[in-house]
Amino acid sequence: MPEIILKSAEDIKAMRKACRLASKTLIEAGKMVEPGVSTLEIDDFVYNYTIKHHAIPAPLNYEGYPKSCCISVNEVVCHGIPSKKTILKDGDIVNIDITSILDGWHGDVNATFYCGKPSPDAINLVETTRRCLEIGIAQVRPDARIGDIGAAIQAFAEPRGFSVVRDYVGHGIGRAFHENLQIPHFGRAGHGLRIREGMTFTIEPMINAGDWRLHILDDHWTSVTNDRKWSAQFEHTLVVTKDGCEVMTAFDEPLVHSITPADFKF
Ligand code: MF3
Ligand code: CO
Ligand code: CO
C-alpha cells in the first residue's frame, strides 16, 4: 500500500468517532493507575469498555499481539504487554496506549500517567515528553514538511539532556492501523514529504532519560531501554486541515493522574 490516503470530510467525520472513543477509553483507563493495580486489570477494562461501545481493540491479535492495549512502565519504551505479574507501584510512570476500531476506522492515542507520588526526575521526563508532542503538533499545517515535526521535537528534548527514540515513529492511520506515512520524532526542518490537507497521522514521541537505544525482550514485543533509564511517551491522532490540524483524539476532560504539577517549570 504505497500511496498516502487523503481523507474526505465524510471519512474524517467517521474517523473522529473512533478517535473520541479511544481518548474516552484512555481517560477512564488512566483513572485506574494506582499502586497495587496490575496492568492486566487495566487491559481487561479496556477490552470490556471497547466492546461495550461496539468497537474493537485494535492491538488484540494485531501481528500476534496478545492483549487489548499496550501498558509500558518506567524503562519500557513501548509495547509493554499487560500482565497480572506487572503490579504498579508508588512512583512508577505508566504509559497506556489505546487504539480503537469503530465502524472500520482507527483512533490511536496514548499518555503517560503518574502512579502515586512521582520523583522530580520522573516529572521532568514526563512533562518534557508531553511538551514534545505539543511542539510536534504545532508544526503541522499544509506545505510544512514532515521533517519540521521531528526537528522541533528534537530541538526541545535534547538540550534538556533527554534523547529521542529512533526505532519507532508516528504513522499514517485510517482504515488501517498503520498506513504508509512515517513521522519520525527527530530529523531536519525543511526535509521530508510535504504535509497536505486531509492527511491523517499520529505523532507519538518516545523520550528517554538516558540513551535512545533499546532492545526487545524475549516476548517479541516489550521494548526496553538498553541503559534501563526511564522512557515516557504521549500520542495523538490528527488530521491536517486548511490552516493547521485538528487533534482528533483531544480529551474532553482532564487526564486524572497525568496532570502537570502546578509548580512545574522547565
Ligand atoms: N498503538 C501503537 C502505536 O501507537 C501500536 C501498538 S501495536 C501493538 O502505533 F500490536 F502492540 F498493539
Ligand atoms: Co500510533
Ligand atoms: Co498508539
Side-chain angles (χ1 to χ4, degrees), residues 54-172:
H54 314 290
I56 299 163
L60 191 60
N61 303 318
Y62 176 80
E63 294 181 3
Y65 188 78
K67 294 291 171 193
S68 296
C69 66
C70 299
I71 306 184
S72 304
V73 181
N74 300 346
E75 70 277 5
V76 178
V77 175
C78 64
H79 302 167
I81 302 175
S83 163
K84 68 177 190 308
K85 291 186 197 156
T86 306
I87 311 286
L88 301 180
K89 54 189 196 309
D90 188 46
D92 284 350
I93 60 170
V94 183
N95 180 278
I96 306 177
D97 191 338
I98 303 287
T99 312
S100 310
I101 312 174
L102 185 62
D103 297 330
W105 293 93
H106 289 72
D108 189 7
V109 62
N110 78 49
T112 301
F113 298 88
Y114 298 115
C115 181
K117 188 175 158 43
S119 70
D121 283 351
I123 293 171
N124 194 22
L125 172 65
V126 170
E127 297 309 323
T128 298
T129 308
R130 191 193 312 277
R131 182 63 64 87
C132 281
L133 174 56
E134 293 166 357
I135 286 169
I137 291 170
Q139 307 308 311
V140 179
R141 55 177 171 75
D143 291 329
R145 301 287 191 132
I146 294 296
D148 299 347
I149 298 169
I153 290 170
Q154 205 177 4
F156 186 76
E158 288 181 349
R160 285 168 176 76
F162 297 111
S163 68
V164 178
V165 168
R166 306 288 199 262
D167 304 60
Y168 302 98
V169 297
H171 49 92

